[in-house]
Amino acid sequence: MKDFYSHTILKNKISNIDEIIDFANRIKTYTECYTRHNNIYEISKSTISKFNFFKNLMLTTKSLIETNFKVSNLVFNKIWFVETGHQNSDMKKLPYKLHFDQQRYLKAMLYLHDVSLDHGPIHFGKIREDIKINEIRKKLPKNYKDFNLNDIKQIDLVVRPKPLIGKKGDLILFDTNEPHHAGLVSPKFTRKVLRFDFEHNSFNKHLL
């Protein structure tokens, strides 16, 4: 398995985007989808069977990731519906700082509307080849966030983070080993996305 897969953006792969948006907004009415964050709603692997519409969308997304990244046997973890406003953005905290994830996933992010710089698009950078994220991850202590141990420093980059603006229905595939951060949402703007998380049995053995 590669150390990381570069992000890619797929256009015109999700045909029923307006129907998806309608169902995404309904997630907020299901108490089993609530999280400790008032702007994030979750469909987990234990509850996905209750949501056939999202189960089918998840399987489509899984197939697209496996095809584009040439991987197999991905395992579904969760779907998040995230509705982010300016008040939710804190550039001193994750996910707004450039980082890699403590747990490795292959993810897909579906834009539910046109996303400009004001909407705080996801940003991706490119890290030096001599920096091995998988090895660093294995050594992270439980309090890694207190010491910013999964932050990516500018000196470690060969390409600085760039925003990925896009259109409603664009599907962004990425590996959480790739340096990334959320963008700041401007006042009076909101970003709405669906995010799909998939694991592989080779990814997070260090956590077992």
Side-chain angles (χ1 to χ4, degrees):
M1 188 67 66
K2 294 181 180 179
D3 273 356
F4 76 89
Y5 296 86
S6 297
H7 69 275
T8 187
I9 184 166
L10 303 181
K11 299 178 181 293
N12 303 316
K13 294 293 185 180
I14 306 297
S15 57
N16 56 335
I17 185 61
D18 289 328
E19 188 178 12
I20 291 169
I21 293 168
D22 181 58
F23 272 84
N25 285 318
R26 292 188 206 175
I27 292 177
K28 294 187 287 186
T29 67
Y30 295 96
T31 56
E32 61 263 50
C33 297
Y34 290 1
T35 71
R36 61 189 180 90
H37 303 285
N38 61 12
N39 66 315
I40 298 175
Y41 305 86
E42 178 181 310
I43 298 175
S44 67
K45 54 188 171 185
S46 63
T47 59
I48 187 70
S49 60
K50 299 180 182 179
F51 300 91
N52 284 331
F53 179 87
F54 284 107
K55 184 176 181 180
N56 292 333
L57 180 60
M58 177 272 290
L59 292 172
T60 297
T61 304
K62 176 176 179 285
S63 178
L64 289 170
I65 293 177
E66 291 181 334
T67 299
N68 280 269
F69 287 156
K70 296 181 174 57
V71 297
S72 59
N73 301 316
L74 292 182
V75 177
F76 170 69
N77 182 272
K78 63 179 174 290
I79 300 171
W80 271 4
F81 172 50
V82 187
E83 190 172 2
T84 307
H86 180 72
Q87 71 279 7
N88 306 116
S89 305
D90 187 343
M91 302 306 288
K92 296 180 180 179
K93 297 181 179 179
L94 295 172
Y96 299 94
K97 299 188 300 179
L98 188 65
H99 69 284
F100 65 90
D101 285 13
Q102 186 250 358
Q103 294 188 54
R104 187 182 182 186
Y105 295 105
L106 294 182
K107 295 186 178 183
M109 180 178 290
L110 180 63
Y111 282 166
L112 299 181
H113 53 82
D114 294 353
V115 173
S116 68
L117 289 176
D118 283 316
H119 295 96
I122 190 168
H123 290 57
F124 294 100
K126 185 175 181 181
I127 203 165
R128 299 196 330 255
E129 291 186 3
D130 62 303
I131 298 176
K132 305 300 182 183
I133 297 298
N134 285 333
E135 296 305 313
I136 298 173
R137 174 182 287 108
K138 292 176 184 178
K139 300 175 183 177
L140 290 178
K142 291 184 178 180
N143 61 343
Y144 71 97
K145 289 184 180 180
D146 295 338
F147 299 97
N148 305 311
L149 297 180
N150 67 326
D151 284 8
I152 301 293
K153 300 178 178 62
Q154 296 297 328
I155 196 174
D156 296 330
L157 297 173
V158 293
V159 176
R160 295 175 67 85
K162 297 179 180 178
L164 198 59
I165 61 175
K167 297 291 185 180
K168 180 175 73 172
D170 286 352
L171 188 69
I172 300 161
L173 312 181
F174 66 102
D175 182 345
T176 59
N177 271 10
E178 187 175 14
H180 61 283
H181 71 81
L184 176 67
V185 180
S186 297
K188 300 182 180 180
F189 283 82
T190 303
R191 181 187 65 243
K192 293 184 180 182
V193 301
L194 277 178
R195 200 192 75 197
F196 304 77
D197 293 6
F198 296 91
E199 297 182 78
H200 189 270
N201 62 12
S202 68
F203 281 176
N204 298 303
K205 291 182 177 180
H206 63 289
L207 296 174
L208 298 177

